[in-house]
Amino acid sequence: MKVGVVGAGAVGATAAFAMVMSGSASEVVLVDLNEKMAMAQAQDIAHAVPFAHPTVVRHGSYADLAGAGVIVLTAGVAQKPGETRLQLLERNARVFAAIIPAALAVAPDAVLLVATNPVDVMTQVAARISGLDRTRVIGSGTILDTARFRALLAARLGVTPKSVHAYVLGEHGDSEVLVWSGAMAAGVPVDSCAAQLGRPLTEGDRASIDEGVRRAAYRIIDGKGHTAFGIGGGLSRIVAAIAGDERAVLTCSILNDSVLGVPEVALSLPRVVGARGVLETVMPDLSDEEAVALKRSAEILKDAATSVEGTLETGV
């Protein structure tokens, strides 16, 4: 499947590289306002093809996105000193208002995959601007947070993360919800597995894992200025699910009709992902505390999205 990546910075280029290494795309086209950078990134990634999968990697213009099955949106502006979150959202909304119509003009059947932060609000913005069925506008959401949760749980249990099933829901951000009540390992509740392995989970362990998931991005950004590898891998995984019509269950974000009574809000829940985007959504069984936290996360995101609605209505 042909994939377009709009935004050839660290996240876009790393996602393209991950697609080459995993074989999730047959062709990747990088588009960026900085054409020289897009060309350099494409050439650099193409040099890894002999070590991975036979993927065509090139840079181009919006016209070169024709025929793409997925268009990954990683473009956006950085927050300026003294700039409010709302001001940043409004500027990124203007970026999307320019990008999305240009991309869909040549690839009207593509699924939009949003990675630009704040990703949940930007997914809602993309859904509004594009006019596409909301199941075809997917945000990377908490796919990375879920991976972090599983990795930290697995490390505590001494097993591979592939044997741990646990989800992070809601916002990709501070209000996200780690669903401990449904966490499983080796087919049993995680507390039972931990006890059987002689590694019981204490409240301190839970707090440490929660903090490790919730604050991971802050530590990485403090150390190197940005995150890229984890989210690049997550974007490649979503692309693979679409390309292969896998019906894989992944925690990603779309604009929902309602979540726990909060209407018209984009956030992450477990989604069945296939060729046409999100095919189904599963609402997990939650503890009372988790349900309250998820509703609060939805309210936070709804407030942020509402703050930019007027911008969209006036044509950005």
Side-chain angles (χ1 to χ4, degrees):
M1 182 180 70
K2 180 176 179 178
V3 178
V5 179
V6 182
V11 172
T14 305
F17 177 72
M19 291 177 218
V20 168
M21 300 309 290
S22 66
S24 57
S26 59
E27 181 179 357
V28 179
V29 180
L30 290 167
V31 177
D32 197 282
L33 188 62
N34 184 342
E35 185 179 358
K36 185 176 180 180
M37 181 175 68
M39 179 179 67
Q41 297 280 38
Q43 288 185 359
D44 196 13
I45 296 166
H47 297 162
V49 168
F51 309 116
H53 296 269
T55 308
V56 175
V57 185
R58 60 192 179 93
H59 79 288
S61 65
Y62 287 108
D64 295 296
L65 299 177
V70 175
I71 296 173
V72 182
L73 303 176
T74 68
V77 294
Q79 192 163 8
K80 296 177 180 178
E83 184 177 40
T84 67
R85 186 168 182 261
L86 175 56
Q87 288 169 330
L88 175 63
L89 280 169
E90 290 174 344
R91 288 203 296 136
N92 271 331
R94 287 194 288 272
V95 171
F96 270 27
I99 288 172
I100 291 172
L104 290 178
V106 296
D109 297 325
V111 172
L112 296 183
L113 177 53
V114 180
T116 301
N117 277 319
V119 68
D120 301 292
V121 179
M122 293 310 297
T123 299
Q124 186 155 343
V125 167
R128 299 295 196 208
I129 291 171
S130 69
L132 296 177
D133 188 300
R134 58 188 60 186
T135 60
R136 287 175 54 199
V137 183
I138 306 173
S140 55
T142 60
I143 191 169
L144 177 54
D145 309 276
T146 288
R148 289 167 174 161
F149 188 18
R150 293 178 180 182
L152 290 174
L153 262 178
R156 179 68 185 87
L157 297 174
V159 302
T160 174
K162 291 184 178 294
S163 295
V164 175
H165 295 277
Y167 295 111
V168 178
L169 310 180
E171 178 192 14
H172 171 57
D174 293 342
S175 72
E176 63 191 22
V177 181
L178 281 66
V179 183
W180 284 96
S181 66
M184 305 280 286
V188 298
V190 69
D191 282 326
S192 175
C193 181
Q196 292 183 55
L197 294 175
R199 296 168 174 261
L201 284 168
T202 67
E203 286 304 312
D205 292 328
R206 287 173 178 259
S208 178
I209 290 170
D210 184 284
E211 196 269 348
V213 173
R214 204 176 298 276
R215 304 295 297 178
Y218 294 99
R219 292 194 183 93
I220 294 168
I221 291 169
D222 182 60
K224 70 173 197 174
H226 66 271
T227 64
F229 294 112
I231 188 57
L235 291 167
S236 177
R237 180 67 190 94
I238 296 170
V239 167
I242 295 169
D245 195 17
E246 290 184 20
R247 302 184 71 89
V249 178
L250 305 170
T251 51
C252 50
S253 185
I254 65 170
L255 179 56
N256 305 272
D257 291 334
S258 177
V259 176
L260 298 178
V262 180
E264 294 292 307
V265 62
L267 53 68
S268 285
L269 292 169
R271 317 282 187 183
V272 180
V273 181
R276 298 302 299 161
V278 170
L279 308 178
E280 303 285 350
T281 294
V282 178
M283 173 58 80
D285 294 329
L286 303 173
S287 69
D288 291 344
E289 183 179 358
E290 290 163 351
V292 169
L294 182 58
K295 183 175 182 179
R296 178 58 183 151
S297 186
E299 290 169 343
I300 290 169
L301 289 168
K302 176 66 175 177
D303 287 346
T306 299
S307 70
V308 294
E309 287 289 316
T311 302
L312 295 177
E313 289 170 2
T314 55
V316 187

